[in-house]
Every structure is written in C-alpha cells, then in structure tokens.
Amino acid sequence: MTADIDTFAVNTIRTLAPDVVQKANSGHPGAPMGCAPMAHVLFSKFIQNNPKNPKWINRDRFVLSNGHACALLYVMLHLRGFNVTIDDLKSFRQLDSKCPGHPEANHGVDGIEVSTGPLGQGISNAVGLAIAEAHLAATFNRPGYELINNYTYCILGDGCMQEGVAAEAVSLAGHLQLGKLIALYDDNHIQIDGDTALGFTEDVPKRFEAYGWHVQVLDDGDNDLAGIAAAVEAAKKVTNKPSLIKIRTTIGFGSKNEGEEKVHGAPLGEADIQNVKTKFGFNPENKFFVPEEVREFYANVSKKSEEANAAWDELYQKYSQEHADLAAELNRRQKKELPKNLIESLPTYTPADAPVATRKLSEILLNKVAPILPELVGGSADLTGSNLTRWKTAEDFQHPSTQLGSYAGRYIRFGVREHGMAAIMNGIEAYGALIPFGATFFNFISYASGAVRLSALSKHQALYIMTHDSIGLGEDGPTHQPIETLASVRALPNFLTFRPADGNETSGAYLAALSNRTRPSTIILTRQNLPHLAGTTIENTLKGGYVLQDVEGKADLTIVGTGSEVSLAVDTAALLLKDGVKARVVSLPCWELFEEQSLEYKETVFPAGVPTLSVEAMTTFGWGKYAHASVGIDTFGASAPAPLLFKKFGLVPDAVAEKAKKLVAYYKDTVPENKLRRPF
Amino acid sequence: MTADIDTFAVNTIRTLAPDVVQKANSGHPGAPMGCAPMAHVLFSKFIQNNPKNPKWINRDRFVLSNGHACALLYVMLHLRGFNVTIDDLKSFRQLDSKCPGHPEANHGVDGIEVSTGPLGQGISNAVGLAIAEAHLAATFNRPGYELINNYTYCILGDGCMQEGVAAEAVSLAGHLQLGKLIALYDDNHIQIDGDTALGFTEDVPKRFEAYGWHVQVLDDGDNDLAGIAAAVEAAKKVTNKPSLIKIRTTIGFGSKNEGEEKVHGAPLGEADIQNVKTKFGFNPENKFFVPEEVREFYANVSKKSEEANAAWDELYQKYSQEHADLAAELNRRQKKELPKNLIESLPTYTPADAPVATRKLSEILLNKVAPILPELVGGSADLTGSNLTRWKTAEDFQHPSTQLGSYAGRYIRFGVREHGMAAIMNGIEAYGALIPFGATFFNFISYASGAVRLSALSKHQALYIMTHDSIGLGEDGPTHQPIETLASVRALPNFLTFRPADGNETSGAYLAALSNRTRPSTIILTRQNLPHLAGTTIENTLKGGYVLQDVEGKADLTIVGTGSEVSLAVDTAALLLKDGVKARVVSLPCWELFEEQSLEYKETVFPAGVPTLSVEAMTTFGWGKYAHASVGIDTFGASAPAPLLFKKFGLVPDAVAEKAKKLVAYYKDTVPENKLRRPF
C-alpha cells in the first residue's frame, strides 16, 4: 500500500507539473517529470517543514538548484499544503503571479528558501544554509536541547554541476565537513544543447569524492523510490561529510519525447500530456488533478511536520526557562532586531585624529561591533590581511576536528572563491538568524556579480566589504583596479552602495547596512590613508549625501565626491578659494539613500543655480544624474605607487581646480540645469 | 655540468626576482622563488619561443596563471632575451613601466601572452590557447607539414585552483582531450590567509583525474629539476589528455621566512635578500645580478628556439608553394585582415521585410558570414537553441574520438560555463589567428564579467553574442532579465556595446565588431520579433548613433532608443504627432562609437535646444549623459508574457508619449542643457 500511494503520488506530480507548464504555455516540464520521484521521497519522507509555520527556524531546508524545474517545486509545496493554491499553479509565469518562471525567495510563496534558476546558485545557497545550521546549532544547542538540527536538501542538475560558482561552494562544503547537507543530482544526461556527451564528460562522483563528499550512485531514479529513500537515510548517517546522491533519471519521464532535449524547455503539448496521463493511469481529460488519496497522503505528511514543530515548540519553551538569555537572543535575531547597544559601539572621530585607511577604520569598527553583534558571520575570499575583516576575538568557523576553530566560530575562510562566497552568503542569510558578510578587493566583486544580483533580487541582507577601492590600490595595477565597478553596483536595484570618506562615514555606512534588513549593501573602502574631515557624522551618512562644507554668500560651484575624493574635494575648494572661487563640498557616500530623501532636502545639498562638479577616481559613467561635469577615469588604471597614479589621472587638487574653473566659466552666463527636478 | 648550470640558473632567478620586488618596494617574491625551478625547466628545456620573432605563430605558449608572481615572468623573459631589460626590471610596478604589477598582454613586453593576476584566468586562457592550437593544427597542417604543433604551458597556484572559472575551463579541457596543454601546479600550501589547510583541503589530483586529465605528483619541486623535466616529458607523451603536474614547493625558498605567508606579498627586505644571496653562493652586495654563465646558457637556449623558428620558416616556405591557398589564408589571418567579401555577405533589409527577432537576424547573418570567415570560432554556454549561434554548416569542435565533430570544427560546446567560456575566448584570441565568440543570455554576462573585463583590458577581439536582452525575455522572469547589465558593460573601458534595432543594425553591429581588432564587443539581441525600420543602415550603425527619423520644422523633442525600444520610439513619435507634438527619433546602438564621432556630427543627432527623452527597457543609469529625462526600468523585472511586461513597465507608445509630453511641457520656457558641449 505504501508503495502504491507513493507511485500514485509520483504520477500525480508527473501529470500535474506538465499541466502547470502547458497552461502557462511556457516553462520546463522535463525536469519536474524526471525529478518527481526524488522530490516525492524528499517531501514525503524527509523534509520536515510546516505550512502553518513556514518560518519555523528548525525546519528542513529544501533548495531546487535547477530552478527552471520550479513547476515541480510549486506542485510539491501545493501538495504539502503551503500557500500555493491550484489557482496559483494556474497563474504560473503570468503577470503578478506568486509563481514566477523561476523560484524567488521573499516573493509570497512560503517554502521557497532562496531564488534559483541562474545555475549553480542554489547548491551554493544550500552550502550557506548548511553553514548557518551548523553554526546556530553550535551556538544555541545545549545538553538536552538540540534546538537546531535540521537538514538542508538540494536537488541539482547538470547545469549546476558545470557552473564554477557551484564548484567553489561544494569544495568549501567538503572542507567544512557539512554533514547535514544532502544533494541529489538529477543525472539525466540532457542539457539544452543536447546530450551531456557534447561537453560534460567528467566523472562527477569522483570529483565530489575529491572534494571530501560522501557519494552514492543510483541507477534507476525513475522507479526506485525505496532506493532513493535508502540513499538519503544513508546520507543522513554520514555526519562529517556532505552527501551527493547521483541519481540516473529520464528527463520528461512518461512523455513521448522522454529522454530528449525537446521536453526540457517547452510545454509538452496537449496531445503528449494526454498520453502522459493515460500512461500513468490518469483520466486524460482531467487537468490540474490531484487525487484525493494523494492529497490526504501529503496532508498526513504535513501533519507529522506540524507535530514535530509542536514538539520543538515545547522543547523551546523549556529551553526558554532554562536558558533564558539564549532564547531571548535567538528571538531577537529572528525578529531582526539589532542589539540595543549597537549605535553607541560605533567609533566616531574628529579631524584631530590621525589619517587612517577606511579598510582599517572598518577593522576598528568590526573589533567593536562584532563582539556585540553575534549574528554577524563571514570572512574574506583569502584576503583577510588586506581586507582587515577579522576582528581580534574572532574564532574561525571550522569543523572541530581540524583544531583550527569550531562550528561556533563566526569567521569563514572562504578561500579564493568570490562567487561561491556571495552565493553562500545568500544561503546564510536565508536561514533567518544571521547577517553574513564577505570581503575581497572591490574589483573582484565582478567575479561574484551573479550572486550579488541575487542578494538584491531576493532581499538578502548580505554585506559586501570591498577594499582597495580604486587606483589607490597602486602597484598591483589595472588588473586589480576597479573602474566600471562602482557604476555596475550603483545600477543594481535594491542594493546599497557606500563609499565612505572617513571614520564617521564608515561608521554611518555600517549602521545603515546593518539596519537595512531587506537590502544587501556594499561598503567600499580604501587601501590608503584618508584624513578625518570636519562635518562628517553618522547621521549625515545615513542621509546618503549632505553638505560637508558650505561657503559664505553665493557659491560658484558644488564639488561632490565620494570616499577618498571627498578630501580631494575639500583640498580643491581650499585651493580655489585662494583664487576667489567659492566651492561648496558635498559628500555623497550612498546614492540610493540620498535618492530617498525629500526633494526639499536634496535641494539643500545641490541647490538650484549652482553648477556641480563630480570627482571620483573611477568611471564618470552615471554622474550625469547629479553633476554638470565630471572628473574621473574612463580608461583602465595603471601600475604605480598610488600618489603618482592620482597625479597621472588628474585627481589632485590643482588639476581638479583647473577643471572647476572651466566649469564655473562655462556657466558664467547661463543657469545650470537643475538635476533634481525632472519632468516626471 | 648541466646540473650545475641549471642550479646556478635557478639560484640566479631566486636572487634576481626578490631584487625586482625589493626595488619596487612592492610585489610578491615568494612564488617566484618557489617556482624558479619549474620555470627554469620550462624556459630552458621546453618552451620554444623566439625573442627575435616573438609572434612566431607556432611558438610554445607560456601562461603564468598566478600572475602576482610576475617578477618571475619578467626575469625569465629577460634571461631568454625578450624585450625586458635590466632597467625594465628596475622599473617594475613604477609609473609607465612595461612591467606592471601583474602581467598585461599587449602592453609592450613580448612573451606575455595573456593578462593574469585575477586568479583563475590564466589557466582558463591556457585552455583557450590549447584549443586554438588544436583547431589551427587540424585546419592548416597537411601531410609532411606539421605547421602548428606547439605546446601550451601554464604555471598556476592554489588561488587559481580555488576559482570557479578555472574549474569550468579545466573540466572542458578534459572533455576536449587537449593533449598539448601542460599545467604545473605550484603546490606550496600557502595562500594569503595562511596555510591552505584553512580552507582548501580537497584532493586536487583526484579532481583533475575526474576531469579526464593526466596527473603526476612531484614531491620536491625545490630541488628536483630532473624530476620536473621528466614529468614534463611524460606529459608531452600523453596526447589525448591535458596534463597536470602537481609540484610540492616551498614558497620563498631560501628566505628566512620560507614556507610562510610573510614571503607572499611583500618585499623580503634587504637583510633577508642578503641572506638569500649568501645562501645561494651569490655576492650579497650585487643587485640585479645575472652571472655571465647563466646569461650565456639562456642565450643558447634562445638560439635553439631561433633555429627551430628558422627551420619552421623553411618548412613554411615549402608549404607556401605546395599549399598556396592555405598559406595565404594563414597569412591573412595573422595580418588581421578580414576577407574581402565580408561586407557584401552581410544581409540588409527593408521595412517591407517581416519582423524578426534580432537573435534570429544574428543567426541569418552567421549563416552567411561564418562560411566565409573561417577564423570565427565559438559557441554558446549551453543555450545554442536560444542564442541561435550555430550556423547550418557548422561542425563541432570535438576530439575526433567522440565522433561528435573534429578539431577542425569551429563550434564549441562550452557547457553551462559562462565565465570559463569568456576566459577561454581570451586565450583563443591571444593565439593570434582566430576571432572567438561566445553566447549566453545577456543577463548572464555578469557570470563572466571577470573575464569580460580582461578581454577589454588586454585588447582581445572577443565577441559576446548576448540574447534575451531585456524584459522581452518574458516568462523566465527577473532572475533572467537584465536591468543593470547594460550600464555595467557601457561603463567598461575599451569595450563596444551594440544593441541593434533591426536587421540592418544587426549587420552593422557585426561589421563593427569584426572590424575592431583590438576591442571586444558585445552584440545584445532580442528574444522577440522587431520590425525592420525605415532609415536603418549598416553605415549609420557604424557611427554608433544617428537620426532615424526627423521632423519638419522645429522639433519638440528627440526620442532616443536602442534595440527593441527604437521601434517603440518610432511608434511613440507617430502617436505624438497626432497631438501635434513633433518628435525626432534617434537610434543609438553603440554609445562608444558615437562618442568617437565629431562634435559637429553629434550635434546633428542631438541638436542644441531640443530636449531628449531616452527610452530603454532597462536601467536608466547612465542616460544622463545624453537625455534630459529617461524612461526605463530601475527595479527588477517580472515573470509574464513579454507584451504584458512592456505594458506593466510603461514601455508602450501611450505611456512613453505621456512622458514625452511632460518633457516638452517642462522645457516649454527654458532651454535644455546641451549635453554634448561640456566645460572640459
């Protein structure tokens, strides 16, 4: 009987998913049909999550890394009683649907933990989810209270296997011995170009063994439900290695074109759907059909999860009594409240303080903030000594057997794996009780941009600490000097970019980044020392832009800069004043927050009638939004000591002053455009 | 005696490289000292390249993937007689030096094949170089004329091993059975964060075996020169697999801090340098010292390469007689001349032709151009059927044993490996006789941006064919819809971005991209059909921007669009005319080429006094350069049929017309800023 209902359920999925795609007249039926058995086994026998309390912290996490197969995920969530109705399934890929063409986290469907579809991201997010579990277990579990012990399950396909981001993340997962991460590899031999023989002939099991994973291989993923279940059970028993279960499947199983690329990315067509339904003993005329027995079966599964959740709640009640502080802390984190003493811990500075590189100011801040912000976890892509992201009391996040740290440690040695790092950060954040950070040279955020984009789309509060932010990096040269990079991140929606000018702005940037719970941020920091400026404050920084230095009477121009170019603007203004040119100085550390200020406020920063000169040691691209003329670098940089580079590229006071005078002369008889007031 | 001179030479490198770094007071001495033995073996016994003819097409290629170790590379090139003098070595990392902090291709030093330093790129470029060799050998070699048979050697370190881009490329290299690719892995157990035990504990040899590589392991890379040479010899004998030789070394060998991270990224200091020199039997007072014996030894090595080059020249002379056509073709390609009949092969269209998606127009073009442009090689990151990049007569580039193609094939099945694809393209282009292209959805150029940036910096003519260029992608949703992407590539220096509006512009974009031999390009194409417009021509497209449609008398505004929004601009203008508003329409397919036109020309496109409205179905970021107001999408997209999305985001004629009217009203009484004339 169990076997029967299981097969019945699998066939329900295999007939329902193609209906979803057909109705949308768009999507991917093949993988849902091929993965139906493994999804059924996971969702019916293993995944404990509760539709009535979808944010239960100790729920098992499931990630569909081959996100194009999401008709499967929506179907499974529907069957398990999550907030995906049959009508929602019918709205798949339609305007304003809860069920977009690829799964999106924080888009209205409970049970979708992360956004997937861009290949390789999901399995990397899963590594992050498993890191979060391991860390929180080590942090909050106490004898008799195994509060956190969930598994992270992931289904992934050939595409994910080929992506470098996945290679980076799974290598780290092996090193970290993440025993509660279990990945099921949908080995269907088909990718979009055709047979995987065209370009993907590596020995995947051997590769994963090389990474330190436990590997099992199953030959009949189309039918062998017991085998899949046994393999998952076996994987659960391996506690010091992540597990890969390679499962041979037939894409589009049941379709006339099963096993072919044709079934991958287009609806089957009504005729084939009818054939599929007939083949599986379903009435070919029924659409979006879930047999009552199957519905009941899954309802019972969810009921067991509810019971598990209830038992956990009971445990948590007792824990709250015995470990009140820990429980309060876990509550605080889940409610996304910051510690009350965060703000007062932020360093502030005066112009009397010695010049310091903003990366160093970031380190000083982390030394103060990290100890009181235990949800902050992260590290560097092997540039710790340059990014200065490891606070003094940090312990490494490592498997205890390495004697290099423990799972209670919060400093992650990401290795030279920028893209994997960012995708892992997204997974850590998605778990729900941690704020992840990652660091590298700013230029190399480009290596990670596939995942950075998903931080923004998925509203993950991930913190990108990016140092060596310009030609100020110096001798390492143009291969390492960002030029276009700042424009790229500024153009990304739902993403905060901070380029602080000194100590107070660095503190302000961190405060804003830590306070924005549904937006990722990047804090972009210098290698070189910068003076502390008169007029910078945390409060000003939170506005995104402000007048650092005004003039008496009518100003001739406004010089706006960010980061290291704010002090350059100040020096330029002083130089100009000697020639009787009155320059206001504006610091604009965060365009996005500035945009959110009132027009009234913004016009105090960029007053009408005063021409604006922007100065930034990288591309001028985008500055047309605020500036009437721009000083910057629209070529690649160069290799030399930083001061010589600033001179070479005209980013020194006398060169900027020359251009400022040209700007003033240009607008002598005309009124510069008010950039803040637009026609719509 | 041979052993003695070899050791003497190695010690010369080990004392010279630290001098280079010390003089610069910046750089990485550790890896040059640790890799000196393998570099010496390669450069003295294997690498055939000729300082007197550095572009000899059949030279062996060498890539230093751990580019931070470039003091080593500059030293080796100096010793082998390339155009790096002792004075050049003394100028390492200084302003306007030939020897920047990381190696840059096309920056004045012969023998630097590709730009490295951003980790993982070099080994991936090496895969591209090996692909180029295999392809050109299959294309040009004839019985008795093994014209092309060079090896590609690469040294890489732990950092490269950890990067996903490298994982992608080496996986493909294994599949392609690139037997002439030989990589030496500097296994020194040290990365910037410290011991590799911190985060990199995978079994690298096993991983590479899983990829299908031949793997050897050497225990004493500090001393065992014979062992290294024997391993390289053995690798050369393996003709159907790329080879990895894992060589255990001591970073900073000879330094007081050898084997520690300290020697990685900072000069040793004078005291330690003196210690090193003493240890190796050198006079500690001598700086930049090359013993005469060592100089002679390397001069002899280069002489042998010269002789080999001369023998090859002789062979080529005979080949030119016996296979005149082939020789002429190889000459043409090396001279970077395009086939004379290229232009006439480009399709042109009239408005009477049926609407077609620009990706399809690209396919039509490739079907005409690819057969007459045999240097065009490339493929898609597993989206062939969507990118439409495979021409009808294409053969796959595959090892013949697969029976899926041959090395003479020009269509590369990159797999879902976007970053690897781009880095491989750079390597293919660096070989010198091919124009590589790669394709994916435009959104996923972000996965590849680390390598795309290096295409631009290194002046590689790589062609990025990017389809599904906006919300026009439709149902796949925001995870796949570019928003910030176009701004990112426009902000990149030395990079051409084309977003053609129809058939003629697609042809123009390809012509410009193929004609620009030192600039990479991206051609950004729609999924959806677009009409052919009156006024588009190839010639207009080459100007980057032009007036598509003018008005009689004084215009009320200019509407500027690119790609799919040009026809939207035309439709909007028609709608506006009904209300008496006269709108000019400008198409701006390539900002970079437009910028290169004369001011006089540009002012015919954007005439003074007429306000400009930009319309583009993605971020408005950057449009402030040309437009007084912008219609675009500054949030993420959505999942729905494309026409509904264009409506949702206000990219339909009536919505744009509303905004156009607001723009006109806004400038009713004021003169809009002339965006083309700036103060400097």
Side-chain angles (χ1 to χ4, degrees), chain B residues 405-639:
Chain B
S406 80
Y407 278 170
R410 292 155 55 202
Y411 196 77
I412 302 174
R413 302 288 186 171
F414 285 109
V416 193
R417 302 180 179 104
E418 297 83 3
H419 199 176
M421 172 173 75
I424 287 170
M425 287 160 66
N426 288 339
I428 291 173
E429 204 278 341
Y431 193 94
L434 296 168
I435 302 175
F437 73 91
T440 182
F441 285 174
F442 183 42
N443 186 56
F444 297 115
I445 200 171
S446 68
Y447 268 48
S449 50
V452 173
R453 174 170 222 274
L454 288 170
S455 304
L457 175 63
S458 310
K459 308 185 183 80
H460 295 309
Q461 184 187 18
L463 180 49
Y464 295 92
I465 303 176
M466 298 284 127
T467 71
H468 295 66
D469 71 340
S470 75
I471 52 165
L473 162 142
E475 293 90 340
D476 272 354
T479 52
H480 288 53
Q481 289 162 355
I483 294 293
E484 75 289 2
T485 321
L486 192 48
S488 311
V489 287
R490 281 185 181 144
L492 184 62
N494 197 47
F495 193 71
L496 299 176
T497 61
F498 296 93
R499 193 163 179 257
D502 68 358
N504 295 330
E505 285 200 3
T506 301
S507 290
Y510 268 96
L511 180 58
L514 292 170
S515 306
N516 268 274
R517 306 304 301 238
T518 58
R519 275 195 285 195
S521 298
T522 181
I523 301 181
I524 303 165
L525 303 164
T526 64
R527 177 191 185 208
Q528 74 275 23
N529 285 346
L530 301 180
H532 296 282
L533 301 169
T536 60
T537 64
I538 290 175
E539 295 68 31
N540 278 336
T541 309
L542 298 180
K543 294 178 191 155
Y546 60 96
V547 182
L548 183 78
Q549 193 172 291
D550 216 331
V551 297
E552 292 198 12
K554 170 96 176 79
D556 294 305
L557 81 159
T558 298
I559 307 180
V560 56
T562 75
S564 48
E565 286 69 68
V566 179
S567 48
L568 170 57
V570 170
D571 293 346
T572 303
L575 201 61
L576 285 167
L577 197 58
K578 288 185 189 166
D579 294 334
V581 179
K582 292 196 278 187
R584 307 166 67 251
V585 176
V586 165
S587 180
L588 202 66
C590 180
W591 289 25
E592 298 82 14
L593 292 182
F594 182 68
E595 279 302 305
E596 293 170 11
Q597 307 306 311
S598 68
L599 178 61
E600 190 185 357
Y601 173 74
K602 286 194 278 187
E603 287 194 327
T604 67
V605 177
F606 294 112
V610 181
T612 297
L613 178 72
S614 73
V615 53
E616 201 167 55
M618 46 197 83
T619 183
T620 61
F621 194 91
W623 271 108
K625 179 166 191 163
Y626 300 115
H628 301 90
S630 297
V631 179
I633 308 173
D634 291 317
T635 63
F636 287 105
S639 169

Side-chain angles (χ1 to χ4, degrees), chain A residues 222-252:
Chain A
D222 296 328
N223 303 290
D224 187 7
L225 302 179
I228 297 171
V232 177
E233 281 297 352
K236 289 178 72 170
K237 292 205 174 76
V238 179
T239 58
N240 64 343
K241 291 181 173 195
S243 271
L244 181 77
I245 307 171
K246 178 177 175 232
I247 305 178
R248 183 72 173 96
T249 67
T250 303
I251 191 169

Side-chain angles (χ1 to χ4, degrees), chain B residues 80-321:
Chain B
R80 280 288 310 275
F82 283 83
N83 63 342
V84 181
T85 63
I86 286 284
D87 278 345
D88 289 329
L89 292 178
K90 287 180 178 170
S91 78
F92 178 54
R93 293 181 160 235
Q94 303 310 304
L95 201 62
D96 302 325
S97 168
K98 261 174 163 171
C99 300
H102 291 85
E104 292 173 41
N106 299 313
H107 191 75
V109 173
D110 298 331
I112 295 196
E113 309 285 356
V114 290
S115 302
T116 56
L119 293 170
Q121 299 292 334
I123 177 67
S124 311
N125 299 157
V127 173
L129 285 162
I131 286 173
E133 185 279 332
H135 173 68
L136 292 166
T139 305
F140 287 100
N141 291 356
R142 287 295 178 273
Y145 295 103
E146 208 181 332
L147 273 195
I148 308 288
N149 64 359
N150 70 276
Y151 286 84
T152 301
Y153 298 101
C154 177
I155 294 178
L156 74 163
D158 294 304
C160 292
M161 281 295 179
Q162 290 163 50
E163 289 286 7
V165 58
E168 292 174 12
V170 300
S171 170
L172 186 59
H175 167 76
L176 293 173
Q177 307 184 36
L178 300 171
K180 286 196 174 133
L181 172 60
I182 298 176
L184 285 70
Y185 166 31
D186 173 30
D187 175 33
N188 64 25
H189 289 218
I190 293 294
Q191 54 191 104
I192 291 178
D193 269 20
D195 196 289
T196 50
L198 284 174
F200 183 59
T201 47
E202 62 179 53
D203 182 340
V204 173
K206 186 170 178 173
R207 173 156 74 98
F208 273 68
E209 282 171 8
Y211 291 136
W213 285 53
H214 175 255
V215 178
Q216 301 173 74
V217 176
L218 281 188
D219 292 333
D220 182 10
D222 296 329
N223 302 291
D224 187 7
L225 302 179
I228 297 171
V232 176
E233 280 297 354
K236 288 177 73 170
K237 292 205 174 76
V238 179
T239 58
N240 65 342
K241 291 180 173 193
S243 270
L244 181 76
I245 308 172
K246 178 179 173 231
I247 305 178
R248 183 70 172 97
T249 67
T250 303
I251 190 169
F253 185 82
S255 156
K256 283 179 184 162
N257 298 311
E258 65 176 25
E260 295 180 30
E261 196 282 320
K262 284 179 197 165
V263 298
H264 166 79
L268 296 185
E270 287 296 351
D272 193 18
I273 284 187
Q274 296 209 353
N275 149 65
V276 169
K277 288 179 181 167
T278 306
K279 196 178 285 186
F280 291 129
F282 281 63
N283 180 343
E285 299 309 316
N286 282 347
K287 290 186 180 177
F288 289 90
F289 179 66
V290 179
E292 208 40 56
E293 300 93 311
V294 171
R295 203 172 277 293
E296 251 174 53
F297 171 81
Y298 275 112
N300 279 327
V301 170
S302 283
K303 207 165 174 191
K304 278 182 203 152
S305 278
E306 266 181 66
E307 288 160 10
N309 191 164
W312 187 91
D313 286 346
E314 210 169 299
L315 183 74
Y316 187 66
Q317 276 305 324
K318 286 187 201 152
Y319 178 85
S320 303
Q321 285 154 21

